[in-house]
Short mmCIF file of all heavy atoms in Angstrom, two decimals:
data_model
loop_
_atom_site.label_atom_id
_atom_site.label_comp_id
_atom_site.label_asym_id
_atom_site.label_seq_id
_atom_site.Cartn_x
_atom_site.Cartn_y
_atom_site.Cartn_z
N GLY M 37 289.94 281.08 190.64
CA GLY M 37 290.12 282.04 189.55
C GLY M 37 289.23 283.26 189.68
O GLY M 37 289.32 284.18 188.88
N GLY M 38 288.33 283.26 190.68
CA GLY M 38 287.37 284.35 190.82
C GLY M 38 288.01 285.58 191.44
O GLY M 38 289.20 285.61 191.74
N SER M 39 287.18 286.60 191.67
CA SER M 39 287.74 287.87 192.14
C SER M 39 288.17 287.81 193.60
O SER M 39 288.83 288.73 194.07
CB SER M 39 286.76 289.01 191.91
OG SER M 39 285.44 288.59 192.08
N PHE M 40 287.79 286.76 194.34
CA PHE M 40 288.26 286.64 195.72
C PHE M 40 289.38 285.60 195.84
O PHE M 40 289.80 285.26 196.93
CB PHE M 40 287.10 286.30 196.65
CG PHE M 40 286.20 287.46 196.88
CD1 PHE M 40 285.21 287.80 195.94
CD2 PHE M 40 286.33 288.26 197.99
CE1 PHE M 40 284.40 288.89 196.14
CE2 PHE M 40 285.51 289.35 198.20
CZ PHE M 40 284.54 289.67 197.26
N GLY M 41 289.84 285.10 194.70
CA GLY M 41 290.92 284.13 194.72
C GLY M 41 292.26 284.84 194.70
O GLY M 41 292.30 286.05 194.89
N PRO M 42 293.35 284.09 194.50
CA PRO M 42 293.34 282.63 194.34
C PRO M 42 293.25 281.92 195.69
O PRO M 42 293.31 282.55 196.74
CB PRO M 42 294.69 282.38 193.68
CG PRO M 42 295.57 283.47 194.19
CD PRO M 42 294.68 284.67 194.35
N LEU M 43 293.09 280.60 195.62
CA LEU M 43 293.07 279.77 196.83
C LEU M 43 294.25 278.81 196.77
O LEU M 43 294.09 277.62 196.50
CB LEU M 43 291.77 278.96 196.91
CG LEU M 43 290.44 279.71 196.84
CD1 LEU M 43 289.28 278.72 196.90
CD2 LEU M 43 290.34 280.67 198.00
N PRO M 44 295.46 279.33 196.95
CA PRO M 44 296.64 278.48 196.76
C PRO M 44 296.75 277.39 197.82
O PRO M 44 296.33 277.58 198.96
CB PRO M 44 297.80 279.48 196.89
CG PRO M 44 297.26 280.58 197.74
CD PRO M 44 295.80 280.68 197.42
N ASP M 45 297.29 276.25 197.44
CA ASP M 45 297.52 275.15 198.36
C ASP M 45 299.01 275.03 198.66
O ASP M 45 299.85 275.40 197.85
CB ASP M 45 297.05 273.82 197.75
CG ASP M 45 295.55 273.79 197.59
OD1 ASP M 45 294.87 274.29 198.49
OD2 ASP M 45 295.08 273.26 196.56
N LYS M 46 299.26 274.49 199.83
CA LYS M 46 300.63 274.16 200.20
C LYS M 46 300.87 272.69 199.88
O LYS M 46 299.96 271.88 200.07
CB LYS M 46 300.79 274.41 201.71
CG LYS M 46 302.18 274.23 202.27
CD LYS M 46 302.15 274.30 203.80
CE LYS M 46 301.67 272.98 204.39
NZ LYS M 46 301.59 272.96 205.85
N ASP M 47 302.03 272.34 199.37
CA ASP M 47 302.39 270.93 199.15
C ASP M 47 301.33 270.22 198.30
O ASP M 47 300.89 269.12 198.62
CB ASP M 47 302.52 270.24 200.52
CG ASP M 47 303.27 268.93 200.44
OD1 ASP M 47 304.02 268.73 199.47
OD2 ASP M 47 303.10 268.09 201.34
N THR M 48 300.94 270.89 197.19
CA THR M 48 299.78 270.44 196.41
C THR M 48 299.83 268.96 196.02
O THR M 48 298.85 268.25 196.13
CB THR M 48 299.67 271.28 195.14
OG1 THR M 48 299.86 272.64 195.50
CG2 THR M 48 298.32 271.10 194.49
N HIS M 49 300.99 268.53 195.53
CA HIS M 49 301.08 267.14 195.08
C HIS M 49 301.91 266.29 196.02
O HIS M 49 302.31 265.17 195.69
CB HIS M 49 301.66 267.09 193.66
CG HIS M 49 300.85 267.89 192.68
ND1 HIS M 49 299.60 267.50 192.27
CD2 HIS M 49 301.07 269.10 192.11
CE1 HIS M 49 299.10 268.41 191.45
NE2 HIS M 49 299.97 269.41 191.35
N GLY M 50 302.20 266.82 197.20
CA GLY M 50 303.00 266.09 198.17
C GLY M 50 302.13 265.30 199.13
O GLY M 50 300.92 265.17 198.93
N PRO M 51 302.74 264.77 200.18
CA PRO M 51 302.00 263.93 201.12
C PRO M 51 301.08 264.71 202.07
O PRO M 51 300.16 264.15 202.62
CB PRO M 51 303.11 263.23 201.91
CG PRO M 51 304.30 264.13 201.80
CD PRO M 51 304.19 264.83 200.49
N GLU M 52 301.33 266.01 202.27
CA GLU M 52 300.53 266.78 203.22
C GLU M 52 299.90 268.01 202.56
O GLU M 52 300.17 269.14 202.97
CB GLU M 52 301.41 267.24 204.40
CG GLU M 52 302.02 266.12 205.23
CD GLU M 52 301.02 265.45 206.15
OE1 GLU M 52 300.02 266.11 206.51
OE2 GLU M 52 301.21 264.27 206.48
N PRO M 53 299.07 267.84 201.56
CA PRO M 53 298.47 269.01 200.93
C PRO M 53 297.55 269.74 201.90
O PRO M 53 296.88 269.11 202.71
CB PRO M 53 297.68 268.43 199.76
CG PRO M 53 297.38 267.03 200.17
CD PRO M 53 298.54 266.58 201.00
N GLU M 54 297.57 271.06 201.83
CA GLU M 54 296.71 271.85 202.72
C GLU M 54 296.40 273.17 202.05
O GLU M 54 297.27 273.79 201.46
CB GLU M 54 297.43 272.09 204.06
CG GLU M 54 296.49 272.61 205.14
CD GLU M 54 297.21 272.95 206.44
OE1 GLU M 54 298.15 272.24 206.81
OE2 GLU M 54 296.81 273.95 207.07
N GLY M 55 295.15 273.58 202.14
CA GLY M 55 294.78 274.85 201.54
C GLY M 55 293.35 275.20 201.89
O GLY M 55 292.64 274.41 202.51
N VAL M 56 292.94 276.39 201.49
CA VAL M 56 291.61 276.88 201.85
C VAL M 56 290.56 276.33 200.89
O VAL M 56 290.72 276.39 199.68
CB VAL M 56 291.60 278.42 201.82
CG1 VAL M 56 290.19 278.94 202.02
CG2 VAL M 56 292.54 278.98 202.87
N TRP M 57 289.50 275.80 201.45
CA TRP M 57 288.28 275.47 200.71
C TRP M 57 287.14 276.20 201.41
O TRP M 57 287.13 276.28 202.64
CB TRP M 57 288.01 273.96 200.73
CG TRP M 57 289.01 273.13 199.98
CD1 TRP M 57 290.36 273.07 200.19
CD2 TRP M 57 288.73 272.24 198.89
NE1 TRP M 57 290.93 272.20 199.30
CE2 TRP M 57 289.97 271.67 198.49
CE3 TRP M 57 287.57 271.87 198.22
CZ2 TRP M 57 290.05 270.75 197.45
CZ3 TRP M 57 287.66 270.95 197.19
CH2 TRP M 57 288.89 270.40 196.80
N PHE M 58 286.20 276.70 200.62
CA PHE M 58 285.08 277.43 201.24
C PHE M 58 283.97 276.48 201.66
O PHE M 58 283.01 276.88 202.30
CB PHE M 58 284.50 278.45 200.27
CG PHE M 58 285.46 279.55 199.89
CD1 PHE M 58 285.17 280.38 198.81
CD2 PHE M 58 286.61 279.79 200.63
CE1 PHE M 58 286.03 281.42 198.47
CE2 PHE M 58 287.47 280.81 200.29
CZ PHE M 58 287.18 281.63 199.20
N ASN M 59 284.08 275.24 201.24
CA ASN M 59 282.97 274.32 201.38
C ASN M 59 283.57 272.96 201.74
O ASN M 59 284.50 272.51 201.08
CB ASN M 59 282.25 274.26 200.02
CG ASN M 59 280.90 273.59 200.10
OD1 ASN M 59 280.49 273.11 201.14
ND2 ASN M 59 280.22 273.53 198.98
N ARG M 60 283.07 272.34 202.80
CA ARG M 60 283.60 271.05 203.23
C ARG M 60 282.43 270.09 203.42
O ARG M 60 281.42 270.46 204.02
CB ARG M 60 284.34 271.20 204.56
CG ARG M 60 285.49 272.22 204.56
CD ARG M 60 286.74 271.65 203.93
NE ARG M 60 287.91 272.50 204.15
CZ ARG M 60 289.14 272.17 203.73
NH1 ARG M 60 289.34 271.05 203.07
NH2 ARG M 60 290.16 272.98 203.96
N VAL M 61 282.56 268.88 202.95
CA VAL M 61 281.45 267.92 203.06
C VAL M 61 281.82 266.82 204.05
O VAL M 61 282.75 266.06 203.84
CB VAL M 61 281.11 267.31 201.68
CG1 VAL M 61 279.89 266.41 201.81
CG2 VAL M 61 280.87 268.40 200.66
N HIS M 62 281.05 266.77 205.14
CA HIS M 62 281.25 265.72 206.15
C HIS M 62 280.32 264.56 205.85
O HIS M 62 279.24 264.75 205.28
CB HIS M 62 280.90 266.26 207.54
CG HIS M 62 281.83 267.32 208.04
ND1 HIS M 62 282.87 267.07 208.89
CD2 HIS M 62 281.87 268.65 207.78
CE1 HIS M 62 283.51 268.19 209.16
NE2 HIS M 62 282.93 269.18 208.50
N SER M 63 280.72 263.37 206.28
CA SER M 63 279.83 262.21 206.16
C SER M 63 279.69 261.56 207.53
O SER M 63 280.69 261.25 208.18
CB SER M 63 280.39 261.21 205.15
OG SER M 63 280.36 261.79 203.85
N TYR M 64 278.43 261.39 207.94
CA TYR M 64 278.15 260.86 209.27
C TYR M 64 277.32 259.59 209.18
O TYR M 64 276.57 259.40 208.23
CB TYR M 64 277.38 261.89 210.11
CG TYR M 64 278.12 263.19 210.31
CD1 TYR M 64 277.67 264.36 209.69
CD2 TYR M 64 279.24 263.26 211.13
CE1 TYR M 64 278.34 265.56 209.87
CE2 TYR M 64 279.91 264.46 211.32
CZ TYR M 64 279.45 265.61 210.69
OH TYR M 64 280.11 266.79 210.87
N GLU M 65 277.46 258.80 210.21
CA GLU M 65 276.64 257.60 210.34
C GLU M 65 275.90 257.70 211.67
O GLU M 65 276.52 257.99 212.69
CB GLU M 65 277.55 256.38 210.32
CG GLU M 65 276.82 255.08 210.52
CD GLU M 65 277.79 253.92 210.72
OE1 GLU M 65 278.90 254.14 211.26
OE2 GLU M 65 277.43 252.81 210.34
N ALA M 66 274.58 257.48 211.62
CA ALA M 66 273.84 257.42 212.87
C ALA M 66 274.04 256.04 213.46
O ALA M 66 273.78 255.03 212.81
CB ALA M 66 272.36 257.68 212.60
N THR M 67 274.57 256.00 214.68
CA THR M 67 274.90 254.70 215.27
C THR M 67 274.06 254.46 216.52
O THR M 67 273.39 255.35 217.00
CB THR M 67 276.39 254.65 215.67
OG1 THR M 67 276.64 255.73 216.56
CG2 THR M 67 277.29 254.77 214.47
N GLY M 68 274.15 253.25 217.01
CA GLY M 68 273.46 252.91 218.25
C GLY M 68 271.95 252.87 218.09
O GLY M 68 271.20 253.08 219.02
N MET M 69 271.51 252.62 216.84
CA MET M 69 270.07 252.64 216.58
C MET M 69 269.59 251.27 216.10
O MET M 69 268.71 251.17 215.26
CB MET M 69 269.75 253.68 215.51
CG MET M 69 269.90 255.09 216.01
SD MET M 69 268.62 255.42 217.20
CE MET M 69 269.03 257.10 217.60
N GLY M 70 270.24 250.21 216.55
CA GLY M 70 269.86 248.89 216.09
C GLY M 70 270.82 248.44 215.00
O GLY M 70 271.84 249.08 214.74
N SER M 71 270.48 247.34 214.34
CA SER M 71 271.46 246.73 213.46
C SER M 71 271.39 247.25 212.04
O SER M 71 272.41 247.39 211.38
CB SER M 71 271.24 245.21 213.45
OG SER M 71 269.88 244.96 213.12
N GLY M 72 270.17 247.56 211.57
CA GLY M 72 270.02 247.85 210.15
C GLY M 72 270.62 249.16 209.73
O GLY M 72 270.75 250.09 210.53
N GLU M 73 270.97 249.24 208.46
CA GLU M 73 271.47 250.51 207.97
C GLU M 73 270.33 251.52 207.93
O GLU M 73 270.49 252.68 208.19
CB GLU M 73 272.07 250.33 206.57
CG GLU M 73 272.90 251.53 206.18
CD GLU M 73 273.30 251.47 204.72
OE1 GLU M 73 273.06 250.46 204.06
OE2 GLU M 73 273.88 252.46 204.26
N TRP M 74 269.15 251.04 207.56
CA TRP M 74 267.96 251.88 207.60
C TRP M 74 267.03 251.27 208.63
O TRP M 74 266.49 250.22 208.42
CB TRP M 74 267.26 251.91 206.24
CG TRP M 74 268.17 252.22 205.10
CD1 TRP M 74 268.74 251.33 204.26
CD2 TRP M 74 268.63 253.50 204.72
NE1 TRP M 74 269.52 251.98 203.36
CE2 TRP M 74 269.47 253.32 203.61
CE3 TRP M 74 268.42 254.79 205.19
CZ2 TRP M 74 270.09 254.37 202.97
CZ3 TRP M 74 269.03 255.83 204.55
CH2 TRP M 74 269.87 255.62 203.45
N GLY M 75 266.85 251.88 209.73
CA GLY M 75 266.05 251.20 210.74
C GLY M 75 265.09 252.12 211.45
O GLY M 75 265.09 253.32 211.26
N MET M 76 264.25 251.50 212.25
CA MET M 76 263.30 252.28 213.05
C MET M 76 264.02 252.74 214.31
O MET M 76 264.81 252.03 214.88
CB MET M 76 262.12 251.40 213.48
CG MET M 76 261.24 250.94 212.35
SD MET M 76 260.23 252.27 211.72
CE MET M 76 258.98 252.36 212.98
N ALA M 77 263.71 253.92 214.74
CA ALA M 77 264.33 254.40 215.97
C ALA M 77 263.37 255.35 216.67
O ALA M 77 262.56 255.99 216.06
CB ALA M 77 265.62 255.12 215.67
N THR M 78 263.49 255.39 217.95
CA THR M 78 262.72 256.34 218.73
C THR M 78 263.69 257.41 219.23
O THR M 78 264.76 257.08 219.69
CB THR M 78 262.07 255.65 219.94
OG1 THR M 78 261.40 254.50 219.47
CG2 THR M 78 261.09 256.56 220.63
N ALA M 79 263.27 258.64 219.12
CA ALA M 79 264.14 259.70 219.62
C ALA M 79 264.37 259.48 221.10
O ALA M 79 263.44 259.34 221.86
CB ALA M 79 263.49 261.05 219.39
N LYS M 80 265.62 259.39 221.46
CA LYS M 80 265.93 259.16 222.86
C LYS M 80 265.56 260.39 223.68
O LYS M 80 265.72 261.51 223.21
CB LYS M 80 267.42 258.87 223.01
CG LYS M 80 267.81 257.51 222.46
CD LYS M 80 269.29 257.29 222.66
CE LYS M 80 269.70 255.91 222.15
NZ LYS M 80 271.14 255.78 222.12
N SER M 81 265.10 260.15 224.88
CA SER M 81 264.69 261.30 225.70
C SER M 81 265.86 262.22 225.95
O SER M 81 265.71 263.43 226.03
CB SER M 81 264.10 260.80 227.01
OG SER M 81 265.04 259.97 227.66
N GLU M 82 267.08 261.65 226.05
CA GLU M 82 268.24 262.49 226.33
C GLU M 82 268.55 263.42 225.17
O GLU M 82 269.20 264.43 225.34
CB GLU M 82 269.48 261.62 226.61
CG GLU M 82 269.86 260.75 225.43
CD GLU M 82 271.12 259.94 225.69
OE1 GLU M 82 272.19 260.53 225.58
OE2 GLU M 82 270.99 258.75 225.97
N ALA M 83 268.06 263.06 223.98
CA ALA M 83 268.35 263.89 222.82
C ALA M 83 267.50 265.16 222.82
O ALA M 83 267.74 266.07 222.07
CB ALA M 83 268.11 263.11 221.54
N LYS M 84 266.48 265.16 223.67
CA LYS M 84 265.61 266.34 223.72
C LYS M 84 266.35 267.47 224.40
O LYS M 84 266.44 267.54 225.61
CB LYS M 84 264.34 266.02 224.50
CG LYS M 84 263.27 265.37 223.64
CD LYS M 84 261.98 265.21 224.43
CE LYS M 84 261.67 263.75 224.68
NZ LYS M 84 260.68 263.54 225.71
N SER M 85 266.89 268.35 223.62
CA SER M 85 267.61 269.47 224.21
C SER M 85 266.70 270.69 224.14
O SER M 85 265.56 270.61 223.71
CB SER M 85 268.91 269.73 223.45
OG SER M 85 268.60 270.24 222.19
N SER M 86 267.25 271.80 224.60
CA SER M 86 266.45 273.02 224.58
C SER M 86 266.13 273.42 223.14
O SER M 86 265.14 274.07 222.88
CB SER M 86 267.22 274.12 225.28
OG SER M 86 268.49 274.23 224.71
N CYS M 87 267.01 273.01 222.23
CA CYS M 87 266.78 273.38 220.84
C CYS M 87 265.97 272.28 220.19
O CYS M 87 266.33 271.12 220.23
CB CYS M 87 268.10 273.54 220.11
SG CYS M 87 269.04 274.87 220.81
N THR M 88 264.89 272.66 219.58
CA THR M 88 264.01 271.66 219.04
C THR M 88 264.65 271.00 217.84
O THR M 88 265.24 271.64 217.00
CB THR M 88 262.68 272.31 218.61
OG1 THR M 88 263.00 273.44 217.82
CG2 THR M 88 261.88 272.73 219.81
N SER M 89 264.49 269.71 217.78
CA SER M 89 265.00 268.97 216.64
C SER M 89 263.95 269.03 215.55
O SER M 89 262.75 268.99 215.82
CB SER M 89 265.25 267.52 217.04
OG SER M 89 265.44 266.75 215.88
N PRO M 90 264.39 269.13 214.31
CA PRO M 90 263.41 269.14 213.23
C PRO M 90 262.77 267.77 213.02
O PRO M 90 261.75 267.67 212.36
CB PRO M 90 264.24 269.54 212.01
CG PRO M 90 265.63 269.16 212.36
CD PRO M 90 265.75 269.29 213.84
N ILE M 91 263.38 266.74 213.58
CA ILE M 91 262.79 265.42 213.43
C ILE M 91 261.83 265.18 214.59
O ILE M 91 262.20 265.37 215.74
CB ILE M 91 263.88 264.33 213.40
CG1 ILE M 91 264.74 264.54 212.15
CG2 ILE M 91 263.29 262.95 213.41
CD1 ILE M 91 265.77 263.48 211.93
N PRO M 92 260.58 264.84 214.29
CA PRO M 92 259.60 264.74 215.36
C PRO M 92 259.99 263.70 216.40
O PRO M 92 260.63 262.71 216.10
CB PRO M 92 258.30 264.34 214.64
CG PRO M 92 258.72 263.90 213.28
CD PRO M 92 260.02 264.55 212.96
N ASP M 93 259.59 263.99 217.62
CA ASP M 93 259.96 263.14 218.75
C ASP M 93 258.97 261.98 218.83
O ASP M 93 258.09 261.96 219.67
CB ASP M 93 259.95 263.98 220.02
CG ASP M 93 260.32 263.14 221.22
OD1 ASP M 93 260.97 262.10 221.03
OD2 ASP M 93 259.95 263.53 222.34
N SER M 94 259.09 261.07 217.93
CA SER M 94 258.19 259.92 217.94
C SER M 94 258.92 258.83 217.19
O SER M 94 260.09 258.98 216.84
CB SER M 94 256.90 260.29 217.23
OG SER M 94 257.19 260.67 215.91
N GLN M 95 258.23 257.77 216.90
CA GLN M 95 258.88 256.73 216.10
C GLN M 95 259.10 257.29 214.71
O GLN M 95 258.19 257.81 214.07
CB GLN M 95 257.98 255.50 216.04
CG GLN M 95 258.17 254.57 217.21
CD GLN M 95 258.22 253.14 216.76
OE1 GLN M 95 257.48 252.76 215.88
NE2 GLN M 95 259.10 252.35 217.34
N PHE M 96 260.33 257.26 214.28
CA PHE M 96 260.59 257.74 212.92
C PHE M 96 261.66 256.87 212.31
O PHE M 96 262.33 256.08 212.98
CB PHE M 96 261.01 259.20 212.94
CG PHE M 96 262.28 259.46 213.70
CD1 PHE M 96 263.51 259.39 213.05
CD2 PHE M 96 262.25 259.76 215.06
CE1 PHE M 96 264.67 259.63 213.75
CE2 PHE M 96 263.41 259.99 215.75
CZ PHE M 96 264.63 259.92 215.11
N LEU M 97 261.80 257.04 211.03
CA LEU M 97 262.78 256.24 210.31
C LEU M 97 263.99 257.10 210.07
O LEU M 97 263.88 258.19 209.57
CB LEU M 97 262.17 255.80 208.97
CG LEU M 97 261.03 254.82 209.19
CD1 LEU M 97 260.06 254.90 208.04
CD2 LEU M 97 261.57 253.41 209.33
N ILE M 98 265.13 256.60 210.45
CA ILE M 98 266.31 257.41 210.24
C ILE M 98 267.17 256.82 209.15
O ILE M 98 267.26 255.60 209.00
CB ILE M 98 267.14 257.54 211.53
CG1 ILE M 98 267.50 256.16 212.05
CG2 ILE M 98 266.44 258.38 212.56
CD1 ILE M 98 268.74 256.19 212.89
#
Side-chain angles (χ1 to χ4, degrees):
Chain M
S39 35
F40 286 81
L43 305 178
D45 293 321
K46 185 189 78 181
D47 197 21
T48 315
H49 303 289
E52 298 285 335
E54 193 184 323
V56 173
W57 293 58
F58 295 166
N59 193 357
R60 303 281 191 178
V61 184
H62 293 262
S63 293
Y64 300 110
E65 177 189 30
T67 56
M69 289 291 180
S71 53
E73 194 190 353
W74 310 99
M76 294 287 283
T78 309
K80 289 181 179 170
S81 55
E82 62 177 282
K84 275 186 247 165
S85 70
S86 53
C87 297
T88 50
S89 167
I91 296 185
D93 180 22
S94 59
Q95 274 224 321
F96 62 89
L97 293 153
I98 56 155

